[in-house]
């Protein structure tokens, strides 16, 4: 029994010593980031990137576009995004690839409705394209590519873009009356591949 206790104590000390050595060799960092590219149009995109190991990080960010109308078009968009990143060099340094999952709620007008014209639904009701909008939510999966570099001891710049598949669930309404122009009883469903994230993140090292 005494020998077993000695062996367990020895293995415990060995494990704790090895863990302490790993902690000394590997210090994790956290960066607070904001998207400078979207600030001129008053769209807020902020996040945190946390280092998991030498080459892996996890980032979470939110995007808030509060515009009821932007240049005459509905543009309310709120999203949350989570992303695992692999850096080819080391965390927060140079080229990386990421796997992204995002969810969003929106009230906006499709870009291809901006040019004008009219359409008729299955009930024979006519609507002007610029006078309708869509309201719903999305689930999005994508791949991110980017490049991050240091500009001082605590400041980095992160250039990135994400492309993926967006699964959208929405209802269509006429502006002013609130009347639905679509025929679906519940949500319309659509899926498409598109770029949905990107910008220039100014990053500040918290630790």
């Amino acid at each position: 029994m005494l020998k077993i206790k000695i062996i367990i104590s020895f293995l415990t000390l060995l494990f704790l010593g090895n863990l302490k050595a790993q902690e000394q060799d590997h210090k994790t960092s956290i960066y607070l980031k904001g998207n400078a590219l979207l600030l001129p149009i008053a769209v807020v995109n902020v996040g945190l990137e946390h280092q998991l190991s030498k080459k892996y990080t996890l980032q979470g960010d939110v995007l808030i576009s509060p515009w009821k109308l932007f240049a005459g078009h509905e543009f309310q968009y709120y999203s949350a995004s989570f992303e695992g990143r692999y850096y080819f060099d080391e965390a927060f340094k140079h080229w990386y690839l990421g796997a992204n999952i995002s969810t969003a709620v929106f009230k906006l007008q499709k870009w291809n409705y901006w040019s004008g014209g009219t359409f008729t639904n299955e009930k024979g009701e006519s609507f002007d394209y610029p006078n309708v909008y869509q309201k719903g939510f999305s689930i999005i999966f994508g791949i991110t590519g980017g490049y991050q570099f240091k500009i001082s001891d605590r400041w980095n710049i992160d250039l990135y873009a994400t492309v993926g598949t967006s699964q959208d669930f929405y209802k269509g309404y006429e502006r002013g009356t609130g009347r639905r122009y679509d025929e679906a009883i519940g949500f319309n469903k659509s899926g498409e591949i598109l770029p949905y994230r990107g910008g220039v993140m100014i990053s500040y090292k918290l630790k």
Side-chain angles (χ1 to χ4, degrees), residues 19-155:
L19 183 62
K20 185 66 176 178
Q22 288 183 10
E23 288 177 351
Q24 291 174 348
D25 292 340
H26 173 61
K27 296 181 179 179
T28 60
S29 298
I30 299 175
Y31 278 82
L32 175 66
K33 0 181 52 172
N35 197 333
L37 193 65
L38 299 177
L39 282 179
I41 58 173
V43 173
V44 177
N45 182 201
V46 294
L48 285 173
E49 186 175 4
H50 174 65
Q51 185 178 1
L52 300 176
S53 65
K54 183 178 179 181
K55 293 190 175 186
Y56 289 92
T57 67
L58 182 65
Q59 176 169 304
D61 62 86
V62 295
L63 186 146
I64 300 172
S65 173
W67 295 97
K68 291 184 177 180
L69 287 176
F70 183 83
H73 310 285
E74 284 79 5
F75 190 46
Q76 289 182 285
Y77 191 87
Y78 308 91
S79 73
S81 177
F82 296 94
E83 182 169 283
R85 290 180 171 183
Y86 172 77
Y87 285 81
F88 294 97
D89 193 339
E90 61 182 72
F92 310 109
K93 187 175 181 181
H94 302 155
W95 295 104
Y96 63 84
L97 286 176
N100 182 271
I101 180 171
S102 297
T103 183
V105 293
F106 59 83
K107 179 182 177 181
L108 52 78
Q109 187 179 67
K110 292 182 179 181
W111 65 269
N112 55 341
Y113 285 17
W114 297 357
S115 58
T118 61
F119 67 96
T120 302
N121 65 14
E122 294 180 1
K123 293 181 179 180
E125 301 170 318
S126 294
F127 297 88
D128 296 325
Y129 277 111
N131 203 39
V132 299
Y133 62 89
Q134 295 75 41
K135 184 176 181 181
F137 66 95
S138 301
I139 299 172
I140 316 169
F141 302 90
I143 297 174
T144 298
Y147 186 86
Q148 188 166 172
F149 59 94
K150 183 185 293 290
I151 57 176
S152 73
D153 287 341
R154 286 195 170 270
W155 293 93

Side-chain angles (χ1 to χ4, degrees), residues 156-176:
N156 282 11
I157 293 180
D158 180 9
L159 311 172
Y160 74 100
T162 307
V163 62
T165 175
S166 178
Q167 302 302 310
D168 308 312
F169 305 84
Y170 64 91
K171 298 176 181 180
Y173 298 94
E174 183 180 41
R175 188 185 297 164

Side-chain angles (χ1 to χ4, degrees), residues 1-17:
M1 181 67 70
L2 180 60
K3 289 182 178 180
I4 294 175
K5 288 182 178 179
I6 292 172
I7 292 172
I8 291 174
S9 298
F10 175 75
L11 292 175
T12 301
L13 288 172
L14 186 64
F15 172 77
L16 292 175

